[in-house]
């Protein structure tokens, strides 16, 4: 299928380009014309007007859905649009399971600038809330988030990033293969979240730098989890998390 080919080739381009659509370059009407035959739903969000440098700008967003071959799930991409040009995309599982699992993204993009953790040590329900790892590749226009259900070991929360096929604790909603946020690094970012704000928004609670709450550095995280069959787990003191 056409979507199957796109999942295999990414439309012949590299992140932050997705399926041939590049942030700050591809006009929304052109992207929609290309995507329309593949879609089962297109939804428009809010429209905002603002002025900058004496010019009026219009921002809006669209969310599109499509059937993913061979599985009974829909894929989803959210587009941020300014003056009819796509300025950013959020790409959700399950399509990010195809080539963008944690070890695959590390192999593809290399050492992250930094890694954030969001966690909670208690919940009104019996199951621990998810822990979210957010990787900062803002130098190439990518943020990526992966969610896991932690376990406890004495005074520690334990997070074990496993590859998708081997893990039974990865959240079965919007974090299976990771959520990718794609943007143009040459944009002035005046309307974008910081990486800290993004990490907290996606995790739902305070984000802390990996080095501050575990015994790993960004470098050791990279060297460890680039291995697809790594058995290593992250430990973070539960007292650091509400």
């Amino acid at each position: 299928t056409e979507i199957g080919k796109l999942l295999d080739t990414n439309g012949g381009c590299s992140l932050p380009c997705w399926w041939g659509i590049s942030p700050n370059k591809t006009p929304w009407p052109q992207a929609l014309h290309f995507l329309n035959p593949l879609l089962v739903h297109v939804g428009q969000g809010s429209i905002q007007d603002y002025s900058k440098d004496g010019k009026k700008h219009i921002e809006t967003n669209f969310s599109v859905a499509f059937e993913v071959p061979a599985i009974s799930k829909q894929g989803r991409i959210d587009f941020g649009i300014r003056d009819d040009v796509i300025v950013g995309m959020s790409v959700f599982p399950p399509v990010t399971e195809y080539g963008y699992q944690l070890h695959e993204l590390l192999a593809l993009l290399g050492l992250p600038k930094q890694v954030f953790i969001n966690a909670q040590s208690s919940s009104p329900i019996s199951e621990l809330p998810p822990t979210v790892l957010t990787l900062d590749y803002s130098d190439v226009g990518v943020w990526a988030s992966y969610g896991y259900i932690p376990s406890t070991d004495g005074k520690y929360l334990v997070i074990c990033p496993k590859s998708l096929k081997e893990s039974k604790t990865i959240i079965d909603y919007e974090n299976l293969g990771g959520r990718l946020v794609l943007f143009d690094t040459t944009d002035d970012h005046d309307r974008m979240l910081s990486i800290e704000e993004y990490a907290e928004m996606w995790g739902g609670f305070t984000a802390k730098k990996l080095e501050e709450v575990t015994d790993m550095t960004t470098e050791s995280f990279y060297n460890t989890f680039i291995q697809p069959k790594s058995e290593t787990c992250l430990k973070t003191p539960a007292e650091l998390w509400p």
Side-chain angles (χ1 to χ4, degrees), residues 2 5-14 17-21 34:
E2 183 65 26
K5 292 178 183 178
L6 291 170
L7 293 174
D8 288 339
T9 66
N10 195 29
C13 65
S14 302
C17 172
W18 184 266
W19 292 2
I21 301 167
F34 164 69

Side-chain angles (χ1 to χ4, degrees), residues 3-4 6-10 15 18-19 64-69 71 73-78 90-101 104 164 173-180 182:
I3 290 179
L6 291 170
L7 293 174
D8 288 339
T9 66
N10 195 29
L15 299 180
W18 184 266
W19 292 2
V64 304
F66 47 89
E67 296 292 342
V68 181
I71 62 174
K73 291 183 180 179
Q74 288 188 355
R76 171 184 158 200
I77 306 173
D78 292 348
S90 292
V91 186
F92 295 83
V95 293
T96 52
E97 296 167 20
Y98 298 83
Y100 303 99
Q101 294 181 48
E104 294 170 317
L164 177 62
Y173 180 47
E174 289 181 338
N175 256 338
L176 280 171
R179 175 185 178 182
L180 303 179
L182 311 175

Side-chain angles (χ1 to χ4, degrees), residues 150-172:
S151 59
T152 56
D153 179 9
K155 297 181 179 179
Y156 292 90
L157 291 180
V158 182
I159 306 110
C160 301
K162 305 292 184 184
S163 64
L164 177 62
K165 293 178 182 177
E166 298 174 1
S167 175
K168 299 186 184 302
T169 60
I170 298 180
I171 304 166
D172 187 30

